[in-house]
Amino acid sequence: MAIKHYLQFSDLTADEYAWVFERAAAIKKKFKSYEKYHPLADRTLAMIFEKASTRTRVSFEAGMYQLGGSVVHLTTGDSQLGRAEPIEDSAKVISRMVDLVMIRTFGQDKIELFAQHSRVPVINGLTNEFHPCQILADVFTYIEHRGSIQGKTVAWVGDGNNMANTWLQAAELLGFKVHLSTPSGYEVDQAIAGIRSGESYKVFKDPMQACRGADLVTTDVWTSMGYEAENEARKKAFADWCVDTEMMRAAKPDALFMHCLPAHRGEEVEADVIDGPQSVVWDEAENRMHAQKALMEYLLLGRVKT
Ligand code: CP
Ligand code: NVA
């Protein structure tokens, strides 16, 4: 069987997503009822972090143990990765010893290169360009709360970053629309997002207009990891891109609010919104684990017979 990597959202088809979401729901149910499920017994996941993490680390590590497997945790600081060992060599060595690799790094080119030289599936745990595991959990969370996302509208308020790019890939693949509002100079680049056409998204200057009639409103930090030097300039540019109660009122009455977290209350989102009744951010964070367990099961075992 050819190795299946998960480097961008577009690496799975709509049909494969339908399967993974179904499995995520089934695996979550087992977890909630303390039912032992160890399909990945004796399998090992290597997690490589070149950037900080709370959710990604805990969800992959806890998730892998719950599936019966084990985990090796590496960072740039405590491995030869930080001492310029070539990515190709690291990939060849690490992938001879483990069954699956998750990487959080800077450029997408680094994870692509690692995958080219890996004998085992590689999962993107966030790059400057994409965060597919997060959108996997976000769409799963939407489905849990509201049913199919097909034909719905997602309002993106904020930076044209890794999350925005991945939402665009998901919209093109799963058949929904994204209303994008970013400050000027921070727009999404369609070529970097890797989408074929402009049909699945619409750009709005005014964030309030982007939220009008939306089924889901979502945002992210003004300054992503790796862009800290731009922090002061970004604070000025993004001042009007704060999701507030007025924006939520412009969305559909039953609209959900999501944020991948960590959040900065008073910057990209008002406390009243993220801690308010439309927010599903805690379900969203928890679902990282259930969705990624389903993803790991699929990448290693395919469509398991249940
Ligand atoms: N949302 C997310 O990826 O969180 P961490 O940076 O804590 O992993
Ligand atoms: N866009 C953010 C997401 C953090 C989970 C970043 O890349 O830092």
Side-chain angles (χ1 to χ4, degrees):
M1 195 173 107
I3 305 170
K4 222 173 177 25
H5 299 296
Y6 192 59
L7 307 180
Q8 333 192 356
F9 199 87
S10 57
D11 283 343
L12 297 187
T13 63
D15 183 57
E16 289 176 305
Y17 277 111
W19 171 264
V20 172
F21 291 139
E22 213 176 284
R23 289 300 302 154
I27 287 171
K28 181 172 181 175
K29 207 165 154 204
K30 289 182 200 295
F31 173 78
K32 295 287 178 189
S33 57
Y34 297 97
E35 189 186 323
K36 205 178 267 185
Y37 182 56
H38 286 171
L40 301 186
D42 299 328
R43 308 285 180 116
T44 306
L45 164 72
M47 303 193 296
I48 300 171
F49 284 98
E50 298 208 289
K51 288 176 178 170
S53 167
T54 296
R55 278 144 290 269
T56 305
R57 164 101 195 251
V58 178
S59 56
F60 270 106
E61 189 158 339
M64 191 61 181
Y65 284 124
Q66 288 161 22
L67 291 173
S70 54
V71 178
V72 176
H73 178 251
L74 292 164
T75 66
T76 316
D78 64 14
S79 68
Q80 301 292 1
L81 290 160
R83 299 180 64 250
E85 180 165 11
I87 292 174
E88 297 89 327
D89 295 2
S90 303
K92 284 176 192 161
V93 171
I94 294 168
S95 71
R96 278 182 181 231
M97 300 183 197
V98 303
D99 302 278
L100 192 59
V101 180
M102 189 286 306
I103 306 179
R104 167 168 287 197
T105 187
F106 293 88
Q108 182 73 11
D109 54 327
K110 289 178 89 175
I111 199 170
E112 303 270 356
L113 184 61
F114 192 104
Q116 274 168 28
H117 295 274
S118 172
R119 287 183 166 189
V120 301
V122 177
I123 298 173
N124 182 345
L126 181 147
T127 56
N128 291 348
E129 290 83 359
F130 299 113
H131 197 0
C133 290
Q134 183 68 53
I135 305 300
L136 179 74
D138 291 6
V139 174
F140 176 61
T141 306
Y142 187 87
I143 294 168
E144 268 193 329
H145 282 267
R146 296 282 184 266
S148 173
I149 199 165
Q150 200 175 0
K152 304 288 186 195
T153 299
V154 174
W156 175 265
V157 175
D159 193 12
N161 64 8
N162 43 11
M163 285 290 295
N165 288 338
T166 314
W167 270 116
L168 290 188
Q169 287 202 350
E172 191 165 81
L173 203 70
L174 302 179
F176 60 91
K177 272 224 146 43
V178 179
H179 284 184
L180 274 177
S181 181
T182 63
S184 87
Y186 298 95
E187 293 87 355
V188 166
D189 180 329
Q190 197 176 300
I192 293 173
I195 52 170
R196 287 189 300 275
S197 78
E199 275 165 38
S200 53
Y201 73 96
K202 202 169 162 191
V203 173
F204 294 82
K205 267 202 162 59
D206 178 358
M208 185 70 80
Q209 294 306 326
C211 293
R212 215 163 282 292
D215 298 279
L216 166 63
V217 177
T218 185
T219 185
D220 188 10
V221 291
W222 290 344
T223 305
S224 285
M225 292 180 280
Y227 297 84
E228 289 80 2
E230 301 173 11
N231 201 21
E232 286 313 309
R234 283 173 173 264
K235 276 190 172 165
K236 287 194 192 96
F238 282 78
D240 293 332
W241 277 263
C242 172
V243 178
D244 55 19
T245 46
E246 218 185 313
M247 288 186 198
M248 289 308 294
R249 267 198 299 276
K252 290 216 177 103
D254 71 341
L256 298 174
F257 173 77
M258 289 190 197
H259 189 310
C260 63
L261 305 175
H264 297 84
R265 288 168 178 78
E267 291 193 2
E268 75 274 7
V269 61
E270 260 186 5
D272 284 352
V273 171
I274 193 167
D275 300 318
Q278 288 166 281
S279 172
V280 291
V281 297
W282 313 122
D283 289 343
E284 182 189 0
E286 179 190 326
N287 281 337
R288 287 290 303 278
M289 185 174 80
H290 307 303
Q292 289 160 196
K293 283 167 78 177
L295 175 71
M296 292 192 286
E297 180 194 68
Y298 182 64
L299 294 179
L300 289 178
L301 306 178
R303 298 194 186 215
V304 293
K305 288 205 173 45
T306 51

PDB file of all heavy atoms in Angstrom, residues 47-50 72-91 93-94 97 110 114:
ATOM      1  N   MET A  47       6.731  12.498  17.582  1.00  0.00           N
ATOM      2  CA  MET A  47       6.209  13.869  17.468  1.00  0.00           C
ATOM      3  C   MET A  47       7.403  14.814  17.491  1.00  0.00           C
ATOM      4  O   MET A  47       8.211  14.781  18.429  1.00  0.00           O
ATOM      5  CB  MET A  47       5.311  14.203  18.651  1.00  0.00           C
ATOM      6  CG  MET A  47       4.141  13.261  18.840  1.00  0.00           C
ATOM      7  SD  MET A  47       2.949  13.953  20.011  1.00  0.00           S
ATOM      8  CE  MET A  47       3.906  13.993  21.499  1.00  0.00           C
ATOM      9  N   ILE A  48       7.519  15.630  16.462  1.00  0.00           N
ATOM     10  CA  ILE A  48       8.642  16.567  16.368  1.00  0.00           C
ATOM     11  C   ILE A  48       8.086  17.987  16.454  1.00  0.00           C
ATOM     12  O   ILE A  48       7.273  18.394  15.610  1.00  0.00           O
ATOM     13  CB  ILE A  48       9.392  16.393  15.028  1.00  0.00           C
ATOM     14  CG1 ILE A  48       9.930  14.963  14.912  1.00  0.00           C
ATOM     15  CG2 ILE A  48      10.503  17.430  14.890  1.00  0.00           C
ATOM     16  CD1 ILE A  48      10.495  14.629  13.538  1.00  0.00           C
ATOM     17  N   PHE A  49       8.513  18.711  17.472  1.00  0.00           N
ATOM     18  CA  PHE A  49       8.025  20.080  17.653  1.00  0.00           C
ATOM     19  C   PHE A  49       9.161  21.079  17.472  1.00  0.00           C
ATOM     20  O   PHE A  49      10.127  21.063  18.230  1.00  0.00           O
ATOM     21  CB  PHE A  49       7.413  20.255  19.044  1.00  0.00           C
ATOM     22  CG  PHE A  49       6.039  19.645  19.169  1.00  0.00           C
ATOM     23  CD1 PHE A  49       5.874  18.386  19.724  1.00  0.00           C
ATOM     24  CD2 PHE A  49       4.912  20.331  18.731  1.00  0.00           C
ATOM     25  CE1 PHE A  49       4.609  17.817  19.835  1.00  0.00           C
ATOM     26  CE2 PHE A  49       3.649  19.769  18.833  1.00  0.00           C
ATOM     27  CZ  PHE A  49       3.494  18.508  19.394  1.00  0.00           C
ATOM     28  N   GLU A  50       9.016  21.947  16.473  1.00  0.00           N
ATOM     29  CA  GLU A  50       9.968  23.061  16.307  1.00  0.00           C
ATOM     30  C   GLU A  50       9.330  24.372  16.778  1.00  0.00           C
ATOM     31  O   GLU A  50       9.945  25.429  16.680  1.00  0.00           O
ATOM     32  CB  GLU A  50      10.413  23.160  14.848  1.00  0.00           C
ATOM     33  CG  GLU A  50      11.145  21.902  14.398  1.00  0.00           C
ATOM     34  CD  GLU A  50      12.139  22.152  13.294  1.00  0.00           C
ATOM     35  OE1 GLU A  50      11.691  22.425  12.161  1.00  0.00           O
ATOM     36  OE2 GLU A  50      13.355  22.094  13.552  1.00  0.00           O
ATOM     37  N   VAL A  72       7.068   9.054  20.995  1.00  0.00           N
ATOM     38  CA  VAL A  72       8.398   9.618  21.242  1.00  0.00           C
ATOM     39  C   VAL A  72       8.289  11.110  20.940  1.00  0.00           C
ATOM     40  O   VAL A  72       7.779  11.498  19.889  1.00  0.00           O
ATOM     41  CB  VAL A  72       9.455   8.996  20.297  1.00  0.00           C
ATOM     42  CG1 VAL A  72      10.805   9.666  20.493  1.00  0.00           C
ATOM     43  CG2 VAL A  72       9.555   7.501  20.509  1.00  0.00           C
ATOM     44  N   HIS A  73       8.753  11.929  21.883  1.00  0.00           N
ATOM     45  CA  HIS A  73       8.628  13.386  21.740  1.00  0.00           C
ATOM     46  C   HIS A  73       9.998  14.019  21.511  1.00  0.00           C
ATOM     47  O   HIS A  73      10.906  13.845  22.306  1.00  0.00           O
ATOM     48  CB  HIS A  73       7.986  13.933  23.026  1.00  0.00           C
ATOM     49  CG  HIS A  73       7.846  15.415  23.031  1.00  0.00           C
ATOM     50  ND1 HIS A  73       8.597  16.236  23.822  1.00  0.00           N
ATOM     51  CD2 HIS A  73       7.038  16.229  22.317  1.00  0.00           C
ATOM     52  CE1 HIS A  73       8.250  17.498  23.606  1.00  0.00           C
ATOM     53  NE2 HIS A  73       7.311  17.524  22.700  1.00  0.00           N
ATOM     54  N   LEU A  74      10.131  14.736  20.406  1.00  0.00           N
ATOM     55  CA  LEU A  74      11.405  15.381  20.066  1.00  0.00           C
ATOM     56  C   LEU A  74      11.192  16.877  19.851  1.00  0.00           C
ATOM     57  O   LEU A  74      10.178  17.275  19.278  1.00  0.00           O
ATOM     58  CB  LEU A  74      11.941  14.830  18.740  1.00  0.00           C
ATOM     59  CG  LEU A  74      12.418  13.390  18.683  1.00  0.00           C
ATOM     60  CD1 LEU A  74      12.532  12.953  17.233  1.00  0.00           C
ATOM     61  CD2 LEU A  74      13.767  13.281  19.361  1.00  0.00           C
ATOM     62  N   THR A  75      12.154  17.666  20.275  1.00  0.00           N
ATOM     63  CA  THR A  75      12.100  19.084  19.935  1.00  0.00           C
ATOM     64  C   THR A  75      13.420  19.467  19.262  1.00  0.00           C
ATOM     65  O   THR A  75      14.404  18.719  19.324  1.00  0.00           O
ATOM     66  CB  THR A  75      11.924  19.984  21.187  1.00  0.00           C
ATOM     67  OG1 THR A  75      13.099  19.860  21.980  1.00  0.00           O
ATOM     68  CG2 THR A  75      10.711  19.591  21.999  1.00  0.00           C
ATOM     69  N   THR A  76      13.427  20.642  18.648  1.00  0.00           N
ATOM     70  CA  THR A  76      14.643  21.106  17.991  1.00  0.00           C
ATOM     71  C   THR A  76      15.771  21.209  19.013  1.00  0.00           C
ATOM     72  O   THR A  76      16.914  20.846  18.739  1.00  0.00           O
ATOM     73  CB  THR A  76      14.405  22.509  17.367  1.00  0.00           C
ATOM     74  OG1 THR A  76      13.145  22.487  16.720  1.00  0.00           O
ATOM     75  CG2 THR A  76      15.474  22.869  16.390  1.00  0.00           C
ATOM     76  N   GLY A  77      15.403  21.693  20.217  1.00  0.00           N
ATOM     77  CA  GLY A  77      16.413  21.949  21.248  1.00  0.00           C
ATOM     78  C   GLY A  77      17.074  20.697  21.795  1.00  0.00           C
ATOM     79  O   GLY A  77      18.232  20.752  22.218  1.00  0.00           O
ATOM     80  N   ASP A  78      16.368  19.581  21.812  1.00  0.00           N
ATOM     81  CA  ASP A  78      16.949  18.397  22.455  1.00  0.00           C
ATOM     82  C   ASP A  78      17.220  17.258  21.463  1.00  0.00           C
ATOM     83  O   ASP A  78      17.336  16.103  21.851  1.00  0.00           O
ATOM     84  CB  ASP A  78      16.066  17.921  23.624  1.00  0.00           C
ATOM     85  CG  ASP A  78      14.692  17.450  23.168  1.00  0.00           C
ATOM     86  OD1 ASP A  78      14.508  17.231  21.954  1.00  0.00           O
ATOM     87  OD2 ASP A  78      13.810  17.293  24.015  1.00  0.00           O
ATOM     88  N   SER A  79      17.320  17.576  20.182  1.00  0.00           N
ATOM     89  CA  SER A  79      17.656  16.530  19.201  1.00  0.00           C
ATOM     90  C   SER A  79      18.675  17.101  18.214  1.00  0.00           C
ATOM     91  O   SER A  79      18.963  18.297  18.223  1.00  0.00           O
ATOM     92  CB  SER A  79      16.404  16.085  18.449  1.00  0.00           C
ATOM     93  OG  SER A  79      15.943  17.145  17.629  1.00  0.00           O
ATOM     94  N   GLN A  80      19.143  16.260  17.330  1.00  0.00           N
ATOM     95  CA  GLN A  80      20.118  16.724  16.321  1.00  0.00           C
ATOM     96  C   GLN A  80      19.442  17.611  15.261  1.00  0.00           C
ATOM     97  O   GLN A  80      20.127  18.235  14.450  1.00  0.00           O
ATOM     98  CB  GLN A  80      20.796  15.536  15.644  1.00  0.00           C
ATOM     99  CG  GLN A  80      21.544  14.609  16.595  1.00  0.00           C
ATOM    100  CD  GLN A  80      22.786  15.240  17.223  1.00  0.00           C
ATOM    101  OE1 GLN A  80      23.107  16.398  16.982  1.00  0.00           O
ATOM    102  NE2 GLN A  80      23.483  14.466  18.038  1.00  0.00           N
ATOM    103  N   LEU A  81      18.111  17.663  15.294  1.00  0.00           N
ATOM    104  CA  LEU A  81      17.394  18.531  14.345  1.00  0.00           C
ATOM    105  C   LEU A  81      17.800  19.988  14.518  1.00  0.00           C
ATOM    106  O   LEU A  81      17.848  20.761  13.568  1.00  0.00           O
ATOM    107  CB  LEU A  81      15.882  18.408  14.569  1.00  0.00           C
ATOM    108  CG  LEU A  81      15.258  17.076  14.167  1.00  0.00           C
ATOM    109  CD1 LEU A  81      13.911  16.886  14.860  1.00  0.00           C
ATOM    110  CD2 LEU A  81      15.097  17.002  12.659  1.00  0.00           C
ATOM    111  N   GLY A  82      18.095  20.359  15.775  1.00  0.00           N
ATOM    112  CA  GLY A  82      18.499  21.735  16.062  1.00  0.00           C
ATOM    113  C   GLY A  82      19.972  21.974  15.781  1.00  0.00           C
ATOM    114  O   GLY A  82      20.468  23.090  15.935  1.00  0.00           O
ATOM    115  N   ARG A  83      20.697  20.918  15.403  1.00  0.00           N
ATOM    116  CA  ARG A  83      22.130  21.058  15.126  1.00  0.00           C
ATOM    117  C   ARG A  83      22.413  20.765  13.657  1.00  0.00           C
ATOM    118  O   ARG A  83      23.443  20.255  13.281  1.00  0.00           O
ATOM    119  CB  ARG A  83      22.941  20.160  16.049  1.00  0.00           C
ATOM    120  CG  ARG A  83      22.727  20.550  17.524  1.00  0.00           C
ATOM    121  CD  ARG A  83      23.497  19.694  18.502  1.00  0.00           C
ATOM    122  NE  ARG A  83      24.928  19.847  18.324  1.00  0.00           N
ATOM    123  CZ  ARG A  83      25.733  18.903  17.832  1.00  0.00           C
ATOM    124  NH1 ARG A  83      25.219  17.735  17.469  1.00  0.00           N
ATOM    125  NH2 ARG A  83      27.003  19.109  17.689  1.00  0.00           N
ATOM    126  N   ALA A  84      21.387  21.081  12.843  1.00  0.00           N
ATOM    127  CA  ALA A  84      21.524  21.074  11.372  1.00  0.00           C
ATOM    128  C   ALA A  84      21.741  19.705  10.736  1.00  0.00           C
ATOM    129  O   ALA A  84      22.298  19.624   9.634  1.00  0.00           O
ATOM    130  CB  ALA A  84      22.611  22.057  10.931  1.00  0.00           C
ATOM    131  N   GLU A  85      21.309  18.626  11.387  1.00  0.00           N
ATOM    132  CA  GLU A  85      21.316  17.341  10.668  1.00  0.00           C
ATOM    133  C   GLU A  85      20.329  17.492   9.500  1.00  0.00           C
ATOM    134  O   GLU A  85      19.218  17.990   9.675  1.00  0.00           O
ATOM    135  CB  GLU A  85      20.872  16.180  11.585  1.00  0.00           C
ATOM    136  CG  GLU A  85      20.874  14.853  10.824  1.00  0.00           C
ATOM    137  CD  GLU A  85      20.807  13.618  11.723  1.00  0.00           C
ATOM    138  OE1 GLU A  85      20.550  13.752  12.928  1.00  0.00           O
ATOM    139  OE2 GLU A  85      21.017  12.510  11.174  1.00  0.00           O
ATOM    140  N   PRO A  86      20.721  17.068   8.302  1.00  0.00           N
ATOM    141  CA  PRO A  86      19.814  17.261   7.157  1.00  0.00           C
ATOM    142  C   PRO A  86      18.454  16.598   7.389  1.00  0.00           C
ATOM    143  O   PRO A  86      18.375  15.513   7.971  1.00  0.00           O
ATOM    144  CB  PRO A  86      20.554  16.569   6.007  1.00  0.00           C
ATOM    145  CG  PRO A  86      21.982  16.556   6.421  1.00  0.00           C
ATOM    146  CD  PRO A  86      21.986  16.447   7.916  1.00  0.00           C
ATOM    147  N   ILE A  87      17.409  17.267   6.926  1.00  0.00           N
ATOM    148  CA  ILE A  87      16.047  16.750   7.098  1.00  0.00           C
ATOM    149  C   ILE A  87      15.927  15.368   6.462  1.00  0.00           C
ATOM    150  O   ILE A  87      15.295  14.465   7.011  1.00  0.00           O
ATOM    151  CB  ILE A  87      15.030  17.737   6.476  1.00  0.00           C
ATOM    152  CG1 ILE A  87      15.009  19.026   7.290  1.00  0.00           C
ATOM    153  CG2 ILE A  87      13.624  17.128   6.413  1.00  0.00           C
ATOM    154  CD1 ILE A  87      14.155  20.132   6.710  1.00  0.00           C
ATOM    155  N   GLU A  88      16.551  15.194   5.296  1.00  0.00           N
ATOM    156  CA  GLU A  88      16.479  13.907   4.595  1.00  0.00           C
ATOM    157  C   GLU A  88      17.016  12.782   5.488  1.00  0.00           C
ATOM    158  O   GLU A  88      16.420  11.709   5.562  1.00  0.00           O
ATOM    159  CB  GLU A  88      17.333  13.927   3.312  1.00  0.00           C
ATOM    160  CG  GLU A  88      16.895  14.919   2.256  1.00  0.00           C
ATOM    161  CD  GLU A  88      17.534  16.299   2.419  1.00  0.00           C
ATOM    162  OE1 GLU A  88      17.784  16.718   3.566  1.00  0.00           O
ATOM    163  OE2 GLU A  88      17.764  16.961   1.390  1.00  0.00           O
ATOM    164  N   ASP A  89      18.156  13.038   6.156  1.00  0.00           N
ATOM    165  CA  ASP A  89      18.773  12.017   7.009  1.00  0.00           C
ATOM    166  C   ASP A  89      17.889  11.746   8.225  1.00  0.00           C
ATOM    167  O   ASP A  89      17.675  10.589   8.608  1.00  0.00           O
ATOM    168  CB  ASP A  89      20.169  12.466   7.476  1.00  0.00           C
ATOM    169  CG  ASP A  89      21.153  12.611   6.318  1.00  0.00           C
ATOM    170  OD1 ASP A  89      20.738  12.399   5.168  1.00  0.00           O
ATOM    171  OD2 ASP A  89      22.329  12.946   6.574  1.00  0.00           O
ATOM    172  N   SER A  90      17.369  12.820   8.831  1.00  0.00           N
ATOM    173  CA  SER A  90      16.491  12.656   9.999  1.00  0.00           C
ATOM    174  C   SER A  90      15.279  11.824   9.625  1.00  0.00           C
ATOM    175  O   SER A  90      14.872  10.923  10.371  1.00  0.00           O
ATOM    176  CB  SER A  90      16.027  14.021  10.511  1.00  0.00           C
ATOM    177  OG  SER A  90      17.128  14.828  10.821  1.00  0.00           O
ATOM    178  N   ALA A  91      14.703  12.107   8.467  1.00  0.00           N
ATOM    179  CA  ALA A  91      13.493  11.387   8.025  1.00  0.00           C
ATOM    180  C   ALA A  91      13.807   9.906   7.834  1.00  0.00           C
ATOM    181  O   ALA A  91      13.028   9.037   8.253  1.00  0.00           O
ATOM    182  CB  ALA A  91      12.973  11.992   6.730  1.00  0.00           C
ATOM    183  N   VAL A  93      16.162   8.078   9.197  1.00  0.00           N
ATOM    184  CA  VAL A  93      16.447   7.395  10.467  1.00  0.00           C
ATOM    185  C   VAL A  93      15.172   7.233  11.304  1.00  0.00           C
ATOM    186  O   VAL A  93      14.822   6.129  11.725  1.00  0.00           O
ATOM    187  CB  VAL A  93      17.530   8.177  11.250  1.00  0.00           C
ATOM    188  CG1 VAL A  93      17.681   7.619  12.662  1.00  0.00           C
ATOM    189  CG2 VAL A  93      18.849   8.139  10.494  1.00  0.00           C
ATOM    190  N   ILE A  94      14.486   8.340  11.537  1.00  0.00           N
ATOM    191  CA  ILE A  94      13.313   8.296  12.433  1.00  0.00           C
ATOM    192  C   ILE A  94      12.258   7.337  11.868  1.00  0.00           C
ATOM    193  O   ILE A  94      11.670   6.546  12.606  1.00  0.00           O
ATOM    194  CB  ILE A  94      12.734   9.724  12.644  1.00  0.00           C
ATOM    195  CG1 ILE A  94      13.754  10.584  13.407  1.00  0.00           C
ATOM    196  CG2 ILE A  94      11.403   9.672  13.388  1.00  0.00           C
ATOM    197  CD1 ILE A  94      13.442  12.069  13.435  1.00  0.00           C
ATOM    198  N   MET A  97      12.283   3.630  12.643  1.00  0.00           N
ATOM    199  CA  MET A  97      12.073   3.180  14.031  1.00  0.00           C
ATOM    200  C   MET A  97      10.645   3.357  14.517  1.00  0.00           C
ATOM    201  O   MET A  97      10.285   2.827  15.558  1.00  0.00           O
ATOM    202  CB  MET A  97      13.001   3.964  14.960  1.00  0.00           C
ATOM    203  CG  MET A  97      14.460   3.788  14.636  1.00  0.00           C
ATOM    204  SD  MET A  97      15.454   4.668  15.823  1.00  0.00           S
ATOM    205  CE  MET A  97      17.016   4.734  14.956  1.00  0.00           C
ATOM    206  N   LYS A 110       9.677  22.137   4.557  1.00  0.00           N
ATOM    207  CA  LYS A 110      10.433  21.243   5.442  1.00  0.00           C
ATOM    208  C   LYS A 110       9.677  19.933   5.668  1.00  0.00           C
ATOM    209  O   LYS A 110      10.254  18.852   5.616  1.00  0.00           O
ATOM    210  CB  LYS A 110      10.684  21.928   6.798  1.00  0.00           C
ATOM    211  CG  LYS A 110      11.694  23.056   6.720  1.00  0.00           C
ATOM    212  CD  LYS A 110      11.878  23.736   8.058  1.00  0.00           C
ATOM    213  CE  LYS A 110      12.960  23.092   8.890  1.00  0.00           C
ATOM    214  NZ  LYS A 110      13.201  23.866  10.137  1.00  0.00           N
ATOM    215  N   PHE A 114      10.664  16.150   4.447  1.00  0.00           N
ATOM    216  CA  PHE A 114      10.704  15.040   5.404  1.00  0.00           C
ATOM    217  C   PHE A 114       9.848  13.886   4.865  1.00  0.00           C
ATOM    218  O   PHE A 114      10.295  12.729   4.845  1.00  0.00           O
ATOM    219  CB  PHE A 114      10.178  15.507   6.770  1.00  0.00           C
ATOM    220  CG  PHE A 114      10.434  14.533   7.885  1.00  0.00           C
ATOM    221  CD1 PHE A 114      11.439  14.751   8.817  1.00  0.00           C
ATOM    222  CD2 PHE A 114       9.659  13.368   8.019  1.00  0.00           C
ATOM    223  CE1 PHE A 114      11.679  13.847   9.854  1.00  0.00           C
ATOM    224  CE2 PHE A 114       9.897  12.459   9.039  1.00  0.00           C
ATOM    225  CZ  PHE A 114      10.903  12.702   9.961  1.00  0.00           C
TER     226      PHE A 114
END
